[in-house]
Amino acid sequence: MQDLQAGGARLAYIVSAYKLPSNLVRLGVRLSDEGEPVLIHVDSRTSARPFAEMTRGLAHLPNVQFLARHRSPYASYGHVLASLKGLVWLKETGAEYDFVVLLTGQDYPIKPLSQLRGSLSSRNGQTFMTHFEMPAESWAHGGMPRLTRWHFSTPHGLHAVPRRWLRGIVPQALPLELVPYGGSGYWVMSRQHVEYVLTFLDANPA
């Protein structure tokens, strides 16, 4: 790995992708400028040809790793699972990093990465994410049906199972007295918080 600018934070990237191979390759090349880990998950529903274009276009970069694929429909747990696979990879390989940046395959940095590293160098232990406690006034019914009702996925999106189909079925409940929050699915997470998340999951596999 090349030496990073003095005082710059060490970054690792997790990219969740499913289309536009040329965009993903361009992003992967850009993120690889300092040899930092770039971990890419491609939805298993992406067909063989575009997936081959993605892997072929980034094969020359040793710091780019494609994660084991699974289905990842919009608004599904598949997105969370892709993020966790990346975090576990970093832990198991002993990768050096200070922050993990979660992106989509359609993102692209609009500032020099050196500027991002410099900005984060003084933010040790801080994580950046949009979040708000639920129920939230800005969401219908506070957003709680997203958690308490059963849902199914179709090619046209995620849909709640009609209540009439579930007479007598107890609504889903959050485990471990967790407090629900809403917000963006993307973040910049400090190493300390990554380690907390993985330790929590190890202690609470359910």
Side-chain angles (χ1 to χ4, degrees):
M1 178 181 296
Q2 303 174 27
D3 291 332
L4 298 179
Q5 281 190 319
R10 300 168 300 178
L11 305 181
Y13 305 93
I14 300 173
V15 181
S16 178
Y18 71 99
K19 65 177 183 179
L20 302 178
S22 60
N23 287 33
L24 179 65
V25 170
R26 182 168 179 251
L27 173 64
V29 170
R30 184 69 184 87
L31 298 180
S32 299
D33 68 340
E34 295 286 358
E36 296 167 309
V38 180
L39 312 175
I40 300 174
H41 176 264
V42 179
D43 192 328
S44 63
R45 298 175 303 165
T46 300
S47 60
R49 182 173 179 178
F51 181 64
E53 292 179 32
M54 295 171 178
T55 55
R56 185 169 58 248
L58 295 169
H60 65 291
L61 298 171
N63 58 310
V64 173
Q65 173 74 35
F66 281 84
L67 301 170
R69 301 171 67 190
H70 60 264
R71 286 174 53 86
S72 186
Y74 176 75
S76 73
Y77 179 72
H79 175 69
V80 178
L81 182 58
S83 305
L84 291 176
K85 283 183 176 180
L87 299 183
V88 169
W89 187 96
L90 293 170
K91 177 183 177 180
E92 291 181 344
T93 60
E96 296 183 357
Y97 67 93
D98 301 306
F99 293 88
V100 180
V101 182
L102 180 63
L103 303 162
T104 78
Q106 299 171 72
D107 290 328
Y108 195 79
I110 60 172
K111 300 285 187 180
L113 293 177
S114 59
Q115 185 173 330
L116 175 60
R117 297 184 187 101
S119 297
L120 291 173
S121 63
S122 62
R123 302 300 187 96
N124 186 38
Q126 291 183 289
T127 284
F128 300 85
M129 61 174 62
T130 300
H131 65 286
F132 44 83
E133 191 168 345
M134 297 170 63
E137 292 184 1
S138 59
W139 284 358
H141 308 291
M144 297 307 293
R146 300 179 182 214
L147 305 176
T148 59
R149 291 188 63 181
W150 294 88
H151 291 74
F152 61 95
S153 178
T154 74
H156 304 291
L158 201 64
H159 306 275
V161 176
R163 296 183 190 278
R164 65 181 181 276
W165 296 0
L166 298 174
R167 290 192 179 94
I169 304 247
V170 177
Q172 296 190 98
L174 288 176
L176 305 173
E177 300 182 353
L178 293 175
V179 177
Y181 280 77
S184 171
Y186 295 90
W187 36 255
V188 177
M189 190 180 299
S190 70
R191 183 174 190 130
Q192 293 92 322
H193 292 150
V194 169
E195 292 173 350
Y196 173 83
V197 167
L198 295 178
T199 298
F200 181 88
L201 292 174
D202 286 342
N204 300 279

